[in-house]
């Protein structure tokens, strides 16, 4: 298995911009930095979120996107996609949603983090790039990226490798979780399996609880 590493560390503060003729405050614009940064309980120092209801917080301290997907998006939309293009804090190389699992614990630099949930693409990605169907395409491909929660505060920087320290007893990949959320999942046992994963964020657990309840009503 190849080594996974941080190929870009990206941060940005909320700013108000005009998108499609509408004024919008967003922190989706992230720029690469070369200096080491401190990862805290809720975010990377120097980074910010405009929508604190849906972004940031303990279960979404760091957003990660896999650089392997950039070529796919470039071919699809005939335009370049660079680190930070998806609003991610960490642009990763060497692992994708097929291999990363909920509950994976990694050491990055001196910080220790845990995978908490897939990233759910929002409309601001479409607005930023001027591509209306981008969020839907992200869901359909499963090229969503994912979020990390902080286990141990520490410094991270571009070039740091990800060292796997621990994994759930019943590892469920980000790809598997995405298919269960966005696909027509009718397997009760599969939904229960996801709900019972202790490392899954409460927000996503509640989503699957509702999905299971709706399925059992039929």
């Amino acid at each position: 298995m190849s080594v996974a590493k941080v190929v870009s560390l990206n941060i940005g503060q909320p700013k108000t911009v005009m998108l499609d003729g509408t004024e919008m405050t967003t922190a989706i614009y992230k720029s690469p930095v070369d200096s080491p940064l401190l990862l805290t309980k809720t975010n990377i120092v120097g980074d910010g979120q405009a929508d604190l209801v849906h972004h940031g917080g303990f279960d979404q301290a760091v957003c990660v996107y896999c650089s392997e997907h950039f070529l796919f998006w470039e071919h699809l939309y005939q335009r370049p996609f660079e680190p930070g293009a998806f609003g991610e804090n960490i642009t990763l190389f060497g692992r994708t949603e097929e291999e990363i699992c909920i509950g994976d614990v990694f050491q990055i630099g001196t910080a220790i983090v845990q995978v908490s949930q897939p990233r759910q693409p929002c409309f601001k990605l479409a607005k930023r790039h001027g591509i209306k169907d981008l969020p839907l395409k992200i869901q359909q491909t499963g090229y969503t990226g994912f979020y990390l929660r902080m286990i141990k505060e520490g410094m991270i920087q571009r070039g740091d490798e990800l060292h796997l320290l621990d994994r759930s007893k019943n590892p469920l990949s980000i790809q598997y979780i995405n298919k269960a959320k966005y696909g027509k999942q009718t397997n009760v046992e599969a939904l229960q399996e996801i709900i019972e994963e202790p490392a899954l964020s409460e927000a996503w657990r509640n989503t699957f609880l509702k999905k299971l309840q709706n399925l059992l009503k039929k």
Side-chain angles (χ1 to χ4, degrees):
M1 187 176 288
S2 61
V3 173
K5 66 168 54 179
V6 177
V7 295
S8 185
L9 185 61
N10 318 298
I11 59 173
Q13 288 294 326
K15 62 181 180 179
T16 301
V17 295
M18 290 295 294
L19 295 172
D20 286 348
T22 304
E23 191 176 85
M24 182 181 302
T25 300
T26 177
I28 201 167
Y29 294 90
K30 308 292 185 186
S31 300
V33 294
D34 291 325
S35 58
L37 296 175
L38 177 66
L39 170 61
T40 70
K41 185 176 181 179
T42 56
N43 65 2
I44 295 174
V45 171
D47 191 49
Q49 292 83 33
D51 180 0
L52 296 177
V53 174
H54 299 102
H55 301 284
F58 179 66
D59 284 332
Q60 300 179 86
V62 179
C63 182
V64 182
Y65 200 75
C66 309
S67 62
E68 286 87 345
H69 304 325
F70 287 163
L71 191 59
F72 171 84
W73 298 119
E74 288 173 356
H75 284 162
L76 182 63
Y77 293 115
Q78 295 297 300
R79 57 181 296 176
F81 286 86
E82 299 176 345
F86 290 84
E88 78 273 13
N89 301 115
I90 290 178
T91 309
L92 182 68
F93 177 78
R95 295 285 188 284
T96 68
E97 292 85 355
E98 294 181 12
E99 302 150 295
I100 296 289
C101 296
I102 300 295
D104 281 356
V105 177
F106 293 99
Q107 178 165 349
I108 310 175
T110 61
I112 296 177
V113 298
Q114 183 180 48
V115 179
S116 59
Q117 66 175 68
R119 188 262 187 90
Q120 184 168 339
C122 72
F123 74 98
K124 289 183 180 179
L125 274 171
K127 293 289 187 181
R128 175 189 169 174
H129 293 289
I131 304 173
K132 291 183 178 180
D133 68 347
L134 182 56
L136 178 60
K137 291 293 186 183
I138 290 173
Q139 290 181 11
Q140 291 173 339
T141 58
Y143 296 165
T144 60
F146 53 92
Y147 279 104
L148 304 174
R149 62 169 65 94
M150 188 273 289
I151 302 297
K152 176 180 175 291
E153 190 175 272
M155 303 296 293
I156 60 177
Q157 64 182 335
R158 180 171 61 87
D160 281 342
E161 296 182 355
L162 276 68
H163 300 283
L164 183 64
L165 303 180
D166 195 17
R167 172 163 278 192
S168 292
K169 293 180 181 179
N170 184 32
L172 305 173
S173 72
I174 295 295
Q175 182 187 61
Y176 180 82
I177 300 294
N178 279 331
K179 286 182 177 180
K181 178 174 173 62
Y182 300 118
K184 296 180 180 179
Q185 178 56 269
T186 58
N187 187 317
V188 171
E189 290 183 358
L191 291 174
Q192 289 175 330
E193 178 184 50
I194 293 171
I195 291 165
E196 291 169 3
E197 168 51 58
L200 184 67
S201 71
E202 283 305 304
W204 275 63
R205 191 186 320 282
N206 290 335
T207 295
F208 283 108
L209 277 169
K210 290 178 182 177
K211 194 164 190 173
L212 178 60
Q213 289 167 357
N214 291 333
L215 184 62
L216 292 176
K217 289 178 183 178
K218 295 180 180 180

